[in-house]
Amino acid sequence: MVHLIDRRVQGKNKSAPNRERFLRRYKGQIKDAVTRATKGRSITDMDSGEKIAIPVKDVNEPNFGHAQGGVWESVNPGNDQYQTGDQIERPKGGAGKGQGQAGNSEEISEDDFVFQISREEFLNYFFEDLELPNLVKTQLTAITDFKNQRAGYSTTGTASSLHVLRSLRGALGRRIAVGGKSSKRLKKAEEELAKLLAETSDNQDPRILALRQEIHHLRTRLLAIPFIDPFDLRYSNRIKVPKPSTQAVMFCLLDVSGSMDEKKKDIAKRFFILLYLFLQRAYEKIEVVFIRHHTSALEVDEHEFFHSRESGGTIVSSALRLLTEVIQTRYASSDWNAYVAQASDGDNWDNDSVICKQILLNTIMPMVQYYAYVEITDGEPQNLWQEYTQVKEQKSHFAMQKIEEPADIYPVFRELFKKQKK
């Protein structure tokens, strides 16, 4: 028999298995609470988890007890305030306290079971069963590029990778090492020969003949050393190393013309939050760029993006042109993965919608990983929708959906980023 002992360190008064079992059991209530949590949050304000409240009646555990069988006799205490037939006034209730005003259904009452979920648990519930489609450049499950990197020198390689300077330095060092002793002896022998020739004029002196023979031998030996040998050749060595693509930029495009009221802007904000949270699961660094437009486009901060009011018509191509300029000037490097989310009510000048289609097909779509367009309206699709439909037919990483009310946000998001069948 094998005994398994779990010695994992647990926090005080905490039990990981019990917590996991509890989260699985009340998964539906937790997901509903998480879905409501986006209201009032900033797009980038996701550094904490969420406080979840579940009514106490939903967390009651089953229990075993003895049945009330047989003959029982009981004595109950009486009272000195009420008699049979008296009518008792209903107490004023509210928030589970028995007094005060009725509580808001969105607020946490004292009758609710309240607990905190972590940021990771929050994201797991929020994006369960979702993934970005297979994109052209990378897949979020394994975002890894490779780059060539210098790794010293090698003795083998192609002619194009030959490092001439390093090879000549090696050859020089070899010649010095191999012929160093002979060079020193040659120099000394030449000095001795010159000294003997100065002392005597007899060229047949045995000492002179011996020195001349030795000098000839040393010079022949030195000349036999090759200037460069295949052993001296060195080639630049390059290897491929993994390069994680951990940077992403998210572009939020919003129509702020007179036809976009606060309700539509609120729907757009919730959709942008969903996309930001989703990308945050795959990338370590995410930059968010806010572009608002009516007849002209402007890059702004988040507060002005959602709360500024404009009047007049709509020219969507102004936002697309500004988007193109920002990508080309600041995010043109291959290190950045660009995602675009556009929200509009579909109103646009007739002639401008055709221009938008051309800009998307010719310029923007080759530069981005994914482009999601949501049209917030309860009416019939406008001309912009018709032109964007043609873009969707030609580009697999372009998606579009229609949102009529806040309840449609999450289903639309799931439809845009649902898992693809293998």
Side-chain angles (χ1 to χ4, degrees):
M1 181 180 295
V2 179
H3 297 278
L4 299 178
I5 302 176
D6 187 359
R7 299 189 182 278
R8 291 177 295 179
V9 179
Q10 300 292 341
K12 185 178 180 181
N13 299 327
K14 291 184 179 179
S15 173
N18 289 340
R19 179 178 179 83
E20 293 175 359
R21 185 163 50 250
F22 178 83
L23 294 178
R24 289 195 304 267
R25 179 175 298 176
Y26 301 102
K27 184 177 180 180
Q29 292 92 329
I30 296 174
K31 290 184 67 174
D32 291 340
V34 167
T35 304
R36 296 192 300 268
T38 56
K39 185 177 181 180
R41 284 196 177 192
S42 171
I43 287 181
T44 57
D45 183 19
M46 299 307 303
D47 294 332
S48 60
E50 184 63 28
K51 183 178 291 186
I52 304 298
I54 299 178
V56 174
K57 63 182 180 65
D58 292 339
V59 295
N60 291 334
E61 297 286 345
N63 58 79
F64 294 93
H66 295 285
Q68 188 77 14
V71 179
W72 291 77
E73 293 183 1
S74 61
V75 179
N76 298 318
N79 66 84
D80 57 358
Q81 298 181 10
Y82 303 102
Q83 300 294 329
T84 303
D86 290 348
Q87 293 184 354
I88 302 175
E89 183 180 358
R90 182 188 298 272
K92 296 181 179 179
K97 300 180 181 180
Q99 59 183 359
Q101 301 297 326
N104 190 335
S105 60
E106 296 292 334
E107 297 177 352
I108 298 175
S109 70
E110 292 186 356
D111 289 338
D112 291 339
F113 176 75
V114 182
F115 64 99
Q116 186 80 17
I117 62 174
S118 65
R119 177 178 179 273
E120 290 73 18
E121 291 171 338
F122 179 89
L123 296 179
N124 287 334
Y125 279 107
F126 210 88
F127 298 110
E128 188 178 16
D129 299 330
L130 293 180
E131 68 175 11
L132 286 176
N134 295 327
L135 306 180
V136 175
K137 182 180 177 183
T138 57
Q139 293 190 17
L140 294 183
T141 54
I143 309 173
T144 304
D145 291 336
F146 291 89
K147 67 176 180 179
N148 289 327
Q149 178 175 304
R150 295 184 59 180
Y153 304 96
S154 64
T155 56
T156 58
T158 61
S160 59
S161 62
L162 177 65
H163 198 284
V164 178
L165 180 59
R166 183 66 178 81
S167 300
L168 292 178
R169 287 175 59 188
L172 178 60
R174 177 185 52 79
R175 292 198 305 272
I176 293 175
V178 173
K181 186 176 181 180
S182 299
S183 297
K184 291 181 180 179
R185 179 53 191 160
L186 176 62
K187 184 178 180 180
K188 187 176 181 180
E190 289 176 345
E191 291 176 352
E192 292 177 359
L193 179 61
K195 185 178 180 180
L196 287 175
L197 291 175
E199 293 177 355
T200 179
S201 59
D202 187 5
N203 293 330
Q204 300 301 319
D205 189 329
R207 294 178 299 174
I208 294 177
L209 294 177
L211 286 173
R212 285 178 174 175
Q213 185 177 0
E214 182 181 6
I215 290 172
H216 176 72
H217 174 73
L218 292 173
R219 287 178 176 174
T220 302
R221 185 174 181 179
L222 291 174
L223 290 175
I225 300 175
F227 179 79
I228 191 166
D229 191 86
F231 177 78
D232 303 324
L233 299 180
R234 294 295 182 269
Y235 300 88
S236 298
N237 187 29
R238 293 184 176 273
I239 60 175
K240 287 187 176 182
V241 296
K243 177 185 175 184
S245 301
T246 56
Q247 296 184 126
V249 56
M250 170 182 165
F251 293 93
C252 300
L253 276 62
L254 180 63
D255 179 7
V256 295
S257 61
S259 57
M260 288 288 290
D261 54 21
E262 290 299 323
K263 179 181 178 181
K264 293 180 179 179
K265 290 181 181 179
D266 180 67
I267 293 176
K269 179 180 180 180
R270 298 186 188 185
F271 179 79
F272 293 146
I273 290 177
L274 287 177
L275 180 57
Y276 178 82
L277 289 175
F278 198 26
L279 295 179
Q280 201 175 39
R281 301 187 71 187
Y283 295 97
E284 295 179 4
K285 179 182 179 182
I286 302 177
E287 291 191 7
V288 184
V289 178
F290 299 97
I291 298 178
R292 51 185 286 270
H293 70 91
H294 44 97
T295 55
S296 60
L298 185 66
E299 182 179 351
V300 296
D301 58 20
E302 183 175 356
H303 183 270
E304 186 177 357
F305 182 76
F306 288 110
H307 300 288
S308 64
R309 295 184 177 181
E310 301 290 346
S311 60
T314 306
I315 302 180
V316 179
S317 63
S318 61
L320 300 183
R321 288 193 177 95
L322 180 56
L323 169 64
T324 303
E325 179 182 348
V326 174
I327 294 179
Q328 292 176 345
T329 56
R330 286 154 47 187
Y331 304 101
S333 171
S334 59
D335 296 337
W336 289 96
N337 298 274
Y339 297 84
V340 184
Q342 181 184 359
S344 173
D345 60 355
D347 290 339
N348 192 29
W349 288 6
D350 294 340
N351 297 335
D352 187 66
S353 297
V354 178
I355 299 176
C356 293
K357 180 188 69 175
Q358 295 173 352
I359 296 177
L360 283 172
L361 291 175
N362 301 330
T363 308
I364 295 179
M365 297 310 299
M367 296 189 299
V368 301
Q369 301 296 98
Y370 202 69
Y371 196 111
Y373 170 71
V374 290
E375 188 166 297
I376 308 172
T377 179
D378 54 359
E380 294 295 326
Q382 304 296 321
N383 54 2
L384 184 63
W385 179 275
Q386 304 299 335
E387 298 296 334
Y388 275 11
T389 302
Q390 301 180 31
V391 178
K392 180 181 179 181
E393 294 173 353
Q394 301 182 41
K395 300 295 182 179
S396 59
H397 56 298
F398 182 92
M400 53 191 296
Q401 287 290 330
K402 183 179 179 182
I403 297 178
E404 296 184 0
E405 55 185 15
D408 297 334
I409 297 176
Y410 196 59
V412 164
F413 184 83
R414 293 179 64 93
E415 182 65 24
L416 288 175
F417 300 107
K418 64 183 178 181
K419 286 186 177 181
Q420 291 184 337
K421 296 182 178 179
K422 304 299 183 181

